């Protein structure tokens, strides 16, 4: 038998309310913005196992050789560290041993320390340097940055640390730390 019109209208209204409640209770897909992935690099790492000199050598033997050892591990063996004197800027210069076309330099910092800004410059002769990029790293974050630029002929890559965060993050704030440096030629970044 058919329901009286009033009951039928109430049933329909209740069914609509239940459908709305069920729809509202369903998970809603979200679109999150992720940091863009770094472009893939090809070709040899021109800085791998290359020697370097620093303006402020670490007197505690922390990370000796770690700047170009091919490891991004954030520890005392694989992470370059300067001294802890308060004088800034500090710098480190990598000798690629021969001139090469360089178009990308990748630099990383560990999740500890107070490293802030790193400026990258390149030179063919070790006398005249051309700045190719500067980047402010976040404190407390393990981070990598690709400095991409029009390819230039270079033998030397200089990292300059003009400043630092004043907050200590596991170490005296005057240390600067760098996890690794990689350099790639004209076909390096895709």
């Amino acid at each position: 038998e058919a329901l009286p019109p009033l009951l039928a209208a109430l049933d329909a209204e209740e069914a609509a309310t239940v459908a709305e409640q069920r729809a509202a209770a369903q998970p809603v897909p979200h679109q999150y913005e992720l940091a863009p992935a770094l472009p893939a690099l090809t070709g040899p790492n021109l800085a791998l196992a290359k020697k370097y000199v620093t303006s402020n050598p670490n007197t505690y033997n922390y990370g000796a050789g770690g700047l170009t050892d091919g490891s991004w591990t954030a520890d005392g063996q694989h992470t370059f560290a300067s001294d802890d004197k308060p004088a800034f800027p500090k710098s480190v210069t990598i000798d690629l041993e021969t001139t090469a076309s360089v178009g990308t330099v990748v630099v990383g910092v560990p999740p500890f320390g107070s490293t802030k800004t790193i400026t990258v410059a390149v030179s063919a002769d070790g006398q005249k340097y051309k700045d190719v990029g500067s980047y402010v790293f976040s404190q407390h974050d393990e981070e990598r940055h690709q400095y991409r630029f029009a390819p230039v002929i270079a033998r030397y890559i200089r990292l300059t640390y003009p400043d630092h965060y004043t907050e200590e993050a596991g170490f005296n704030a005057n240390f600067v730390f760098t996890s690794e440096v990689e350099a790639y030629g004209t076909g390096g970044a895709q």
Side-chain angles (χ1 to χ4, degrees), residues 141-172:
D141 290 334
E142 187 166 10
E143 193 174 353
R144 294 181 194 183
H145 180 72
Q146 285 186 7
Y147 299 79
R148 298 179 64 176
F149 47 93
V152 296
I153 300 300
R155 176 175 171 171
Y156 301 94
I157 299 171
R158 177 171 290 162
L159 277 56
T160 301
Y161 308 85
D163 57 11
H164 61 96
Y165 290 101
T166 56
E167 176 190 346
E168 291 187 6
F171 292 88
N172 178 317

Side-chain angles (χ1 to χ4, degrees), residues 42-44 46 100-104 151 183-189:
T42 59
L46 303 171
S101 180
V102 178
T104 303
Y184 295 91
T186 55

Side-chain angles (χ1 to χ4, degrees), residues 3 17 20 23 25-26 40 43 50 52-53 55 71 76 85 90 98 106 113 121-122 130 148 161 169 183-184 189:
L3 292 174
T17 301
E20 285 177 26
Q26 297 303 309
K50 299 302 189 231
Y52 54 89
V53 294
S55 63
S71 173
K85 291 182 176 59
K90 299 180 183 195
T98 186
V106 185
V122 294
K130 175 184 178 182
R148 298 179 64 176
Y161 308 85
Y184 295 91

Side-chain angles (χ1 to χ4, degrees), residues 77-102:
Q77 179 182 354
H78 299 289
T79 301
F80 165 79
S82 72
D83 68 6
D84 58 350
K85 291 182 176 59
F88 278 82
K90 299 180 183 195
S91 67
V92 61
T93 303
I94 302 164
D95 182 352
L96 301 179
E97 300 173 358
T98 186
T99 56
S101 180
V102 178

